[in-house]
Amino acid sequence: MKLSLSNGIFSKLKIKDNFDTVKRLGFVNIEFNMKSIKKEHDTDVYREQKAYATSGLKCLTLHSAVLHVKDPIEIHQAVYYGKISLECACALQAPLMTVHSNVSKKLPRNIREECLIEVFGQIKLFAKKLGIKLSLENLSFNSTGFGKNVEQLEEVLGVIDPKGEMGITFDLCHALETKVVDELLDKYGRRICNVHMANKSHHPFTEKKPELTHFLSALHQYAYDGPITLELENKTSMEDLAITKAFFDKLLKEY
Ligand SMILES: [Zn+2]
């Protein structure tokens, strides 16, 4: 398993400072979170590409910009977010992009299906063209989006991924908050290709809690060797980040 850091935690910094801060902490791998970009300017992608090329970092995954569509009128905007994120993933040579369902949990089922077909019809085509794999993330109960448990994720995947080609981004924080860790592991264990690692409320794990070792053992049994992406709340201090990194560097050697 490969330790990685979501750079969304430094989204307030300019991109070069963002990458420099990640490096100062000793991380080699990142998940590039689109929160770090001003989406109004499509050409920003060239700036990110340049900063990335000189950073020496390796972008294992990219977290898409996301809009949880609550009215079909917003479909074009969700498609735009998905496509500009794919452009950035391509520029940073990330082979995998994490996506949400992009639909609000408040939509009735028939409209939800219509929106899913429209949004992913376009995002999937573009991802295929660029050779980037999509990976659907489980959401928390307090998210505005749809897709917090197996029942909801199955509905989404049934519409957007009938051939079962997409991966799953397992967010441990969301799964703990929603109490669905085991049901997600049982259903999607073999499809996981990215992990968002945090305790509830996106607090860092800094010791061997049973829920953490249980989860890592399960991943190990599924022969998981992908990213363990620390996705932590913005308030996490540099000191706590350093402690968390040291803890996971040691812990992951056991799996
Ligand atoms: Zn996440």
Side-chain angles (χ1 to χ4, degrees), residues 67 69-78 111 114-115:
L67 178 73
V69 170
K70 51 192 184 311
D71 186 297
I73 198 88
E74 296 173 322
I75 286 172
H76 70 101
Q77 204 177 342
I111 309 288
E114 179 195 319
C115 293

Side-chain angles (χ1 to χ4, degrees), residues 98-101 135-140 143 146-150 153 168-176 178 180-181 184 188 194 196:
T98 288
V99 293
H100 294 184
S101 66
S135 181
L136 182 68
E137 175 174 2
N138 63 297
L139 303 177
S140 187
S143 168
F146 186 78
K148 66 176 182 181
N149 55 23
V150 167
L153 291 167
I168 294 289
T169 292
F170 195 118
D171 188 306
L172 182 59
C173 162
H174 298 166
L176 287 168
T178 312
V180 293
V181 173
L184 289 180
Y188 301 120
N194 185 18
H196 283 168

Side-chain angles (χ1 to χ4, degrees), residues 37-200:
I37 283 193
K38 288 192 174 50
K39 287 178 289 288
E40 305 89 90
H41 307 295
D42 288 15
T43 48
D44 279 359
V45 71
Y46 302 122
R47 184 190 58 202
E48 322 309 343
Q49 189 173 31
K50 205 170 146 202
Y52 174 69
T54 53
S55 73
L57 293 167
K58 193 162 167 48
C59 185
L60 300 182
T61 52
L62 180 134
H63 194 309
S64 177
V66 165
L67 178 73
H68 296 146
V69 170
K70 51 192 184 311
D71 186 297
I73 198 88
E74 296 173 322
I75 286 172
H76 70 101
Q77 204 177 342
V79 169
Y80 166 73
Y81 281 172
K83 283 190 172 176
I84 191 66
S85 301
L86 282 163
E87 288 281 10
C88 193
C90 187
L92 304 187
Q93 296 169 312
L96 190 86
M97 182 167 99
T98 288
V99 293
H100 294 184
S101 66
N102 279 291
V103 286
S104 162
K105 62 186 175 190
K106 294 209 172 126
L107 286 175
R109 183 168 183 158
N110 60 328
I111 309 288
R112 186 159 68 226
E113 183 173 344
E114 179 195 319
C115 293
L116 282 168
I117 291 170
E118 288 279 337
V119 171
F120 279 93
Q122 299 194 56
I123 293 179
K124 272 172 63 183
L125 267 183
F126 199 50
K128 196 164 191 182
K129 184 177 153 200
L130 299 180
I132 293 165
K133 182 170 169 155
L134 298 177
S135 181
L136 182 68
E137 175 174 2
N138 63 297
L139 303 177
S140 187
F141 68 91
N142 54 15
S143 168
T144 58
F146 186 78
K148 66 176 182 181
N149 55 23
V150 167
E151 187 192 352
Q152 294 189 358
L153 291 167
E154 280 298 285
E155 184 195 312
V156 172
L157 290 168
V159 176
I160 67 173
D161 186 41
K163 291 189 198 151
E165 293 166 334
M166 269 188 200
I168 294 289
T169 292
F170 195 118
D171 188 306
L172 182 59
C173 162
H174 298 166
L176 287 168
E177 288 177 344
T178 312
K179 299 188 174 68
V180 293
V181 173
D182 285 332
E183 67 167 67
L184 289 180
L185 278 170
D186 289 347
K187 185 75 188 176
Y188 301 120
R190 281 172 217 295
R191 282 178 78 170
I192 298 171
C193 45
N194 185 18
V195 167
H196 283 168
M197 173 56 74
N199 204 341
K200 289 177 185 170

